[in-house]
Amino acid sequence: MNDEPLFLETHIQTQSQTTDIILSVTDLSETLLNPSQDEVFLSTEVSYNNYYTYQKLLAANSSQFLSKKENNFFKGTKWSPDGTCLLTNSDDDTLRLFDLPVKIMETFTTEDLPQIDDSLDDHLSVSLSIPAGESVYDFCWYPFMNSQDPVTCCLLSSSRDQPIHLWDAFTGQMRCSYSSYDHVDEVSAAFSLTMNPAADKIYAGYNRRFEIFDITQPGRGSIVIPTAATKRSYGQKGIISCLSVNHEVVVAGSYLGTVGVYSKDGEPISLVQGQPSGITQVALSPDGCRVYAGARRNNQIYCWDLRMIEEGPILSFERNSSTNQRFYFDLSQDGSQLVTSCQEQRLLVYDTHLGQNIQEIKGHSGPVNGCCIHPFLPYLIASSSGERKFKNMDDKEATRTFSSNDVIVWCAQRPI
């Protein structure tokens, strides 16, 4: 296989606004655990609200997810930058692409919400499965991905004991790899991944360091940025579990609960104790003035002003996150609203200026672990659910217990 990557040149610009929605649906667990055929299906049991118009619900689940692994479940979902498909990660070490139905794409073509009727009922199908080989630590899209230009259709993933892989989103073939090595010259797996807005650099988090790869130079070769020279020296210690990058700064979160701010070249700027437990996600606001951080076993998402980050959080957003599972959150394109997943089978939407909960979106049959807002159709929200469950070994008559396992595309009346 040729290790030289294809040149990536297409650029995409998107816009988004704000929304308000309350949605509820009937429990999906009965249907999700008894799929009639090996395909992704549409749930039609949608309730209506007198104040809000019809809310579209697409639920993805099939027997293929249950048969290959008894306790399989989704572990996050992300929209493609061009908004045509969803990328998901599952506990069976497989990345899957779900295509948004053509009928829906033709209906939702602008930021103005069209009239929705039952004729839009369609399947949310799996178009590609990519076996990662080992447990996937992190994954992300190429920022300028455009389905009309196959060269740009690619994604990155990092798995246990493997280098970073660049995958072709059409064929599922590996285009190239980016490798990091430890002090005994063995391959180190990146625990977190992201790309800069210019899409020419890959930022990857490791133990007490992050590395910067040039996307045009696969193989061995990166800029190593130590966050702490040793376990006893000053700096950001522990595994760099999450990263967020804009044109000016890099924000890194660690499993020891710290948030570090660095220049785009890796020079340290500030370091704060961001959470009492391991941080699982950090995000920069669209204007670059705020940083958000969520953690495992902690029910608060904290927000800091980057200009005075050492003075402490300026806002907090409550959610139920009492386990070690990663619960994602996402920001609207103008930064005015935050959507977060949580353990209570729902999505929570907050006003980022006031820190107030303004709505809930219900409908999953298990803990919601992933959520993301469509890049340019702000009234479409995707979410995924699932958790690891264990059989009661003391109960000899206990039957197989499956985790809820669904990915849903919601349509709000007004944009997020």
Side-chain angles (χ1 to χ4, degrees):
M1 182 178 294
N2 187 0
D3 285 336
E4 291 297 326
L6 298 174
F7 290 105
L8 310 172
E9 299 176 351
T10 302
H11 295 256
I12 298 174
Q13 295 180 349
T14 60
Q15 297 179 356
S16 190
Q17 299 177 8
T18 58
T19 194
D20 187 12
I21 165 183
I22 296 177
L23 183 135
S24 62
V25 297
T26 57
D27 192 345
L28 296 175
S29 58
E30 176 71 17
T31 310
L32 295 176
L33 299 181
N34 297 281
S36 59
Q37 52 187 347
D38 188 16
E39 66 176 4
V40 182
F41 63 89
L42 169 70
S43 172
T44 57
E45 297 188 62
V46 181
S47 63
Y48 293 76
N49 186 293
N50 292 332
Y51 181 76
Y52 295 98
T53 58
Y54 174 72
Q55 309 298 319
K56 188 68 175 179
L57 175 82
L58 291 176
N61 185 286
S62 73
S63 59
Q64 63 176 312
F65 298 132
L66 302 178
S67 61
K68 293 186 178 181
K69 186 171 183 178
E70 178 176 342
N71 193 26
N72 191 29
F73 57 92
F74 285 107
K75 298 168 71 174
T77 182
K78 296 180 181 181
W79 281 109
S80 62
D82 70 347
T84 59
C85 57
L86 284 166
L87 175 62
T88 65
N89 175 28
S90 299
D91 196 52
D92 61 354
D93 308 333
T94 301
L95 298 169
R96 291 182 175 87
L97 264 65
F98 292 84
D99 282 337
L100 198 61
V102 175
K103 188 183 299 184
I104 295 178
M105 290 296 295
E106 292 174 347
T107 303
F108 302 108
T109 56
T110 67
E111 291 188 3
D112 297 326
L113 181 65
Q115 292 295 323
I116 308 173
D117 54 47
D118 292 336
S119 66
L120 286 178
D121 291 357
D122 207 341
H123 296 297
L124 186 66
S125 59
V126 179
S127 60
L128 181 67
S129 295
I130 303 176
E134 286 287 351
S135 182
V136 178
Y137 290 147
D138 203 358
F139 60 101
C140 68
W141 283 101
Y142 175 68
F144 298 137
M145 179 271 189
N146 183 357
S147 296
Q148 302 301 316
D149 185 1
V151 172
T152 66
C153 296
C154 55
L155 56 102
L156 290 164
S157 73
S158 175
S159 303
R160 183 174 57 190
D161 298 330
Q162 295 186 21
I164 300 167
H165 294 315
L166 181 70
W167 303 96
D168 191 300
F170 272 110
T171 65
Q173 298 297 313
M174 188 195 309
R175 290 188 181 180
C176 59
S177 297
Y178 304 86
S179 303
S180 174
Y181 293 83
D182 60 18
H183 62 287
V184 293
D185 207 36
E186 292 182 351
V187 173
S188 294
F191 294 96
S192 52
L193 282 175
T194 191
M195 292 191 70
N196 65 336
D200 60 349
K201 296 291 189 296
I202 300 169
Y203 289 76
Y206 299 88
N207 186 22
R208 300 201 313 272
R209 75 184 192 277
F210 65 88
E211 300 188 15
I212 306 173
F213 295 88
D214 189 323
I215 195 171
T216 64
Q217 299 179 9
R220 184 171 188 165
S222 63
I223 301 173
V224 180
I225 310 296
T227 58
T230 66
K231 293 181 179 179
R232 295 185 178 181
S233 60
Y234 176 79
Q236 189 170 18
K237 303 178 182 67
I239 292 172
I240 303 302
S241 56
C242 47
L243 291 161
S244 183
V245 182
N246 63 15
H247 292 286
E248 301 296 332
V249 298
V250 180
V251 177
S254 82
Y255 279 137
L256 291 183
T258 57
V259 174
V261 182
Y262 305 84
S263 70
K264 61 182 180 180
D265 297 322
E267 292 295 325
I269 298 174
S270 61
L271 178 66
V272 296
Q273 184 66 38
Q275 292 273 9
S277 54
I279 293 178
T280 55
Q281 185 181 359
V282 291
L284 285 159
S285 61
D287 61 8
C289 294
R290 293 184 175 188
V291 60
Y292 299 81
R296 58 190 183 187
R297 301 195 314 276
N298 186 273
N299 293 334
Q300 302 290 330
I301 297 173
Y302 291 120
C303 171
W304 293 265
D305 190 320
L306 273 178
R307 295 161 294 188
M308 48 184 184
I309 188 171
E310 295 180 354
E311 296 184 12
I314 58 174
L315 289 171
S316 64
F317 310 92
E318 188 171 357
R319 64 175 180 179
N320 189 339
S321 175
S322 59
T323 68
N324 284 322
Q325 189 172 12
R326 175 176 295 188
F327 292 95
Y328 286 91
F329 62 86
D330 197 12
L331 293 167
S332 59
Q333 290 297 314
D334 63 358
S336 64
Q337 296 187 46
L338 179 146
V339 181
T340 179
S341 55
C342 70
Q343 210 169 329
E344 298 176 332
Q345 306 177 11
R346 58 181 176 169
L347 295 173
L348 302 174
V349 183
Y350 284 92
D351 185 307
T352 58
H353 299 302
L354 303 176
Q356 296 178 351
N357 179 218
I358 57 177
Q359 64 187 40
E360 296 181 4
I361 302 175
K362 301 179 180 179
H364 282 283
S365 55
V368 184
N369 52 47
C371 65
C372 53
I373 303 169
H374 195 279
F376 55 88
L377 299 177
Y379 36 75
L380 292 185
I381 308 169
S383 59
S384 61
S385 69
E387 66 177 341
R388 183 171 285 107
K389 292 187 177 181
F390 300 94
K391 181 180 177 179
N392 185 359
M393 303 304 294
D394 295 331
D395 186 358
K396 296 182 179 180
E397 298 182 356
T399 59
R400 294 174 65 189
T401 301
F402 296 110
S403 170
S404 65
N405 180 45
D406 49 304
V407 58
I408 295 176
V409 176
W410 312 87
C411 178
Q413 180 184 1
R414 290 189 291 274
I416 287 278

